[in-house]
Amino acid sequence: MLDGLRQAILGGDGEKAESLTETAIGSGQSAEAIMGALTGTMEIVGREYEEGERFVPEMLVSAVAMKRALEVLRPRLIDAGVRARGMVVIGTVAGDLHDIGKNLVCMMLEGAGLEVIDLGVDVAAQDFVSAVRVHRPQVLAMSALLTTTMEEMPAVIAALEEAGLRDGVKILVGGAPVTQEYADRIGADGYCVDAPAAAALARTLVEEESR
Ligand code: B1M
């Protein structure tokens, strides 16, 4: 059954992924086992994308199918006391309305077993700061698609420093105009070229933190 669920997600069949998750729950599969199938499958999706076997639309349909299965599973995870591996606060920086890539990153993060607080688009530096203060995530992720708005990223880092919150959170940046060189220059902790890379790096950082 879990194999069918994996195949449904790989094939981007959200309806089937949802019904197989319901069947798996009904037949007594543990919430942990089903979550393991979801995260394992999203790792395959990410790997296939990195290896050029998948393109963005195919990654997107698999991520949407995974999200439908996760919505069915979520109440069971809560009942079973299965906690997220960690938390990521994410948003597209001020002045920037692009969110297709960010939304994909959100879904891949969830597929990696992380809780995601999505602040949306056009997020002011002070709103990133407030979210870090309130939620205390291990990771803050920022997206920018414009060469003009990527300059907001160092402003957010400066605002976190000013609020005394910088040392308690790892900062990841991404989006088409962002590069590793830029991430290093502004003092971010990591650069992610795409959604699978963001999920993998966030998960590594969260695991390092909990050790
Ligand atoms: Co805009 N736009 N756009 N646009 N748009 C670009 C980005 C542009 C490159 C097009 C071009 O001129 N060739 C250009 C930017 C030029 C530049 O700054 N160098 C541009 C422009 C100029 C503009 C406007 C200024 C146009 C205008 O009004 N004159 C305007 C700005 C509005 C604003 O934001 N204030 C604008 C508006 C729009 C739309 C609203 C029409 C629409 C956005 C719809 C939406 O997002 N809801 C739009 C779109 C769709 C695009 C293009 C065509 C596609 C972007 C996209 O969704 N890509 C884009 C051109 C292009 O890229 N071909 C363009 C698909 C997505 C899956 O990829 O977002 O790169 P991407 O995300 C990837 C990675 O970058 C990474 O992972 C994702 C998935 O693997 N990633 C992260 C992204 N965020 C991450 C965060 C992380 C980690 C990884 O956190 C750690």
Side-chain angles (χ1 to χ4, degrees), residues 1 7 46 63-64 66 94 100 115 139 158 170 174 203:
M1 197 181 306
Q7 292 309 322
V64 170
M66 182 281 304
I100 297 169
E115 183 180 355
V139 175
K170 298 289 184 195
R203 195 167 146 176

Side-chain angles (χ1 to χ4, degrees), residues 23 63 81 90 97 106-107 121 133 173 180-181:
T23 315
I90 185 168
L97 302 175
C106 288
M107 287 188 274
V121 297
R133 185 177 286 118
V173 291
Q180 179 68 57
E181 190 271 326

Side-chain angles (χ1 to χ4, degrees), residues 38-192:
L38 299 188
T39 53
T41 309
M42 291 316 288
E43 273 172 29
I44 296 171
V45 169
R47 207 162 46 238
E48 287 182 354
Y49 174 75
E50 304 289 1
E51 288 166 2
E53 287 174 37
R54 261 175 200 267
F55 297 101
V56 167
E58 294 157 318
M59 178 164 61
L60 198 54
V61 289
S62 285
V64 170
M66 182 281 304
K67 201 169 164 62
R68 282 182 69 168
L70 192 58
E71 291 313 320
V72 174
L73 187 62
R74 209 184 297 278
R76 301 290 166 155
L77 288 168
I78 294 165
D79 288 351
V82 178
R83 293 166 59 100
R85 290 188 161 111
M87 188 195 285
V88 181
V89 164
I90 185 168
T92 302
V93 296
D96 199 324
L97 302 175
H98 295 84
D99 68 355
I100 297 169
K102 171 193 65 69
N103 293 344
L104 188 49
V105 172
C106 288
M107 287 188 274
M108 292 301 282
L109 289 169
E110 286 192 331
L114 298 165
E115 183 180 355
V116 176
I117 308 278
D118 181 6
L119 304 179
V121 297
D122 190 18
V123 181
Q126 281 311 320
D127 291 337
F128 278 113
V129 171
S130 302
V132 169
R133 185 177 286 118
V134 171
H135 300 291
R136 299 279 165 181
Q138 288 93 345
V139 175
L140 172 67
M142 286 185 270
S143 177
L145 263 286
L146 301 171
T147 43
T148 46
T149 59
M150 66 195 266
E151 297 304 331
E152 277 295 315
M153 290 172 164
V156 173
I157 296 175
L160 283 167
E161 275 164 4
E162 202 173 309
L165 295 167
R166 172 66 184 98
D167 291 342
V169 66
K170 298 289 184 195
I171 296 176
L172 301 185
V173 291
V178 180
T179 60
Q180 179 68 57
E181 190 271 326
Y182 184 71
D184 293 342
R185 184 147 46 89
I186 65 173
D189 298 300
Y191 159 69
C192 314

